Amino acid sequence: MSENALELLDPEAISQQVRREVDRALKRNIKGLDFLVADREPVGHMPKDVLYRDGTAVLYRYRPLLDEIYRVPLLVVSPPTNRGYIFDLAKGQSFFEYLLGQGYDVYNLDWNPPRRDESVLGFEDYVGRFIPAALQVIEDKTGERDVSLAGYCAGGTLATIYAALDTTKRIRNLVTLATPIDFSHMHLFQTWADKRYFDVDLLVRELELIPPEIMLGAFDLARPANRTAGRVNLWTNMWNDEFVKSYRMFDRWAAETLPIPGAYFGQLIKDLMWENALVEGKFEINGKKAKLDNIDASILNVVAKHDHVVSHEATGPLMTMTSSNDRDEIVAKGGHVSLVAGPAALRRLWPHIDTWLGKRST
């Protein structure tokens, strides 16, 4: 930098910048030790009640915040690999808190870790048993047959398959968030599960329950530097209590990835990944084919612009292959998880979901 440029700098501004960086450096060292010895960050703060349990499935109803709520209840299906508290991470970062504050009657079909004897659970159970049972409990609770069915990631796939099989036409609205439908566009996973090298039957037979490390390994392949970059970013922001708190909550959620039943995993790989059976109209549940053109509910497809897990193209059939006359799509900034958690979604995305869903929930 030239002497003339230096003369233009404000000495007081330079002094403040130096003091700020020194202060942050000191805080990083102090708080770094606190981070290492701290208990797990608490997650999930909205009160809820258990309405139904069956095997790995558990249905929660979140207690309404308002006296006046929408007539049509909302059931959100969690991905079988992940715990549903991602929807209720923390005050001010909770998708469910936001929905409850807007007057929705919110239910969550969540999953517990499967036991060894539940390794035989497959799509017939998730779609043909757990979702319809949850819907019946909601109808018994509310007296309403119409329901909005939503799902995130693989939970959205389960919700879509159910809607494609539903002959009762009880699904009034289908809301999908980062939901894979056309698995030919899940390019990384196609490579990871290449049938020439991936002996899924051997894996299922030997392990029975597929450990979370198997799935996490696939995600790490998508962004091999993510873990290291995340740690570097954490250290850089160690002085920022709010950043650290948010990091620890997301880190806990990722660390608590669930094992999944071998039968479900085998169907996912062979039928959906290898055969793309849902798009081809060949995916069967209890002898009945799930046809996307059977879906005539209103559809809102929410996609993350920078999603490295589920591409926009992978969600495409929701907008082109169903029979719905009321289809909308939101392409939001951010990545895979940012659709359902975090203050950015609260500001930029969730109000748009509310606008769409509210007028279809009366």
Side-chain angles (χ1 to χ4, degrees):
M1 184 178 291
S2 68
E3 291 184 10
N4 290 337
L6 286 171
E7 289 175 359
L8 295 175
L9 295 176
D10 180 359
E12 180 60 27
I14 295 174
S15 175
Q16 290 178 0
Q17 176 68 20
V18 170
R19 286 198 298 271
R20 184 160 54 246
E21 290 304 321
V22 169
D23 181 60
R24 288 180 178 180
L26 291 172
K27 286 181 178 178
R28 285 191 196 104
N29 283 278
I30 295 169
K31 293 179 180 295
L33 180 60
D34 291 342
F35 180 85
L36 292 174
V37 300
D39 293 333
R40 292 188 305 174
E41 192 70 34
V43 290
H45 75 291
M46 301 304 295
K48 61 183 183 292
D49 301 296
V50 175
L51 300 186
Y52 157 79
R53 290 186 188 273
D54 181 12
T56 187
V58 54
L59 175 67
Y60 296 106
R61 186 199 188 198
Y62 282 76
R63 297 175 190 171
L65 293 180
L66 305 181
D67 293 332
E68 295 291 330
I69 60 175
Y70 283 110
R71 179 183 67 84
V72 179
L74 170 64
L75 172 62
V76 180
V77 182
S78 299
T81 53
N82 295 105
R83 294 188 178 274
Y85 65 70
I86 189 63
F87 303 116
D88 184 33
L89 207 56
K91 187 173 181 61
Q93 300 188 41
S94 166
F95 186 36
F96 285 169
E97 177 188 39
Y98 177 81
L99 292 172
L100 292 165
Q102 302 306 117
Y104 294 95
D105 190 10
V106 178
Y107 300 78
N108 177 213
L109 183 56
D110 201 12
W111 316 104
N112 289 318
R115 303 185 307 267
R116 182 70 57 182
D117 63 338
E118 292 173 330
S119 64
V120 295
L121 294 175
F123 278 83
E124 291 82 4
D125 299 284
Y126 284 92
V127 175
R129 174 176 153 200
F130 299 139
I131 291 180
L135 291 172
Q136 188 58 55
V137 170
I138 293 170
E139 182 180 347
D140 293 343
K141 176 78 174 177
T142 64
E144 295 292 341
R145 186 160 181 78
D146 288 348
V147 69
S148 295
L149 183 62
Y152 167 57
C153 193
T157 307
L158 296 178
T160 300
I161 294 171
Y162 177 84
L165 291 165
D166 180 35
T167 57
T168 65
K169 303 302 179 185
R170 70 194 305 172
I171 306 305
R172 181 167 180 175
N173 306 301
L174 178 65
V175 181
T176 55
L177 301 116
T179 292
I181 302 295
D182 186 345
F183 283 79
S184 70
H185 289 287
M186 300 286 284
H187 300 298
L188 174 83
F189 289 89
Q190 286 287 347
T191 302
W192 174 74
D194 190 321
K195 67 168 63 177
R196 294 173 298 175
Y197 316 110
F198 193 77
D199 192 339
V200 65
D201 290 327
L202 175 64
L203 192 66
V204 169
R205 186 170 61 251
E206 293 297 319
L207 297 180
E208 297 182 338
L209 294 176
I210 307 303
E213 292 77 16
I214 297 288
M215 299 302 295
L216 288 172
F219 289 114
D220 284 344
L221 282 174
R223 293 285 179 88
N226 248 22
R227 203 175 293 272
T228 300
R231 289 289 179 177
V232 171
N233 198 27
L234 170 65
W235 177 249
T236 302
N237 291 279
M238 189 65 76
W239 58 273
N240 186 330
D241 289 340
E242 286 303 311
F243 181 93
V244 172
K245 180 179 179 180
S246 180
Y247 180 96
R248 292 183 63 221
M249 288 187 294
F250 278 109
D251 193 54
R252 173 180 173 178
W253 178 73
E256 293 183 350
T257 299
L258 302 175
I260 52 176
Y264 168 88
F265 182 75
Q267 288 175 292
L268 175 67
I269 299 299
K270 292 193 287 187
D271 293 340
L272 296 184
M273 194 71 67
W274 291 350
E275 301 299 327
N276 207 14
L278 183 55
V279 167
E280 296 296 329
K282 299 176 181 178
F283 190 68
E284 291 191 5
I285 298 292
N286 296 323
K288 183 179 177 182
K289 289 183 179 178
K291 298 279 192 176
L292 291 173
D293 61 7
N294 286 339
I295 301 175
D296 59 7
S298 296
I299 296 173
L300 178 63
N301 183 39
V302 184
V303 184
K305 186 175 182 179
H306 304 293
D307 193 335
H308 68 287
V309 179
V310 180
S311 69
H312 192 172
E313 293 80 6
T315 73
L318 288 160
M319 304 305 293
T320 60
M321 294 184 64
T322 65
S323 298
S324 174
N325 294 318
D326 181 20
R327 293 178 290 202
D328 287 291
E329 185 172 80
I330 299 174
V331 180
K333 292 181 180 180
H336 189 68
V337 182
S338 66
L339 298 181
V340 295
L346 172 63
R347 296 190 305 270
R348 297 196 301 239
L349 173 61
W350 299 343
H352 294 294
I353 295 176
D354 171 44
T355 298
W356 187 91
L357 188 58
K359 59 188 176 183
R360 294 169 175 83
S361 299
T362 55

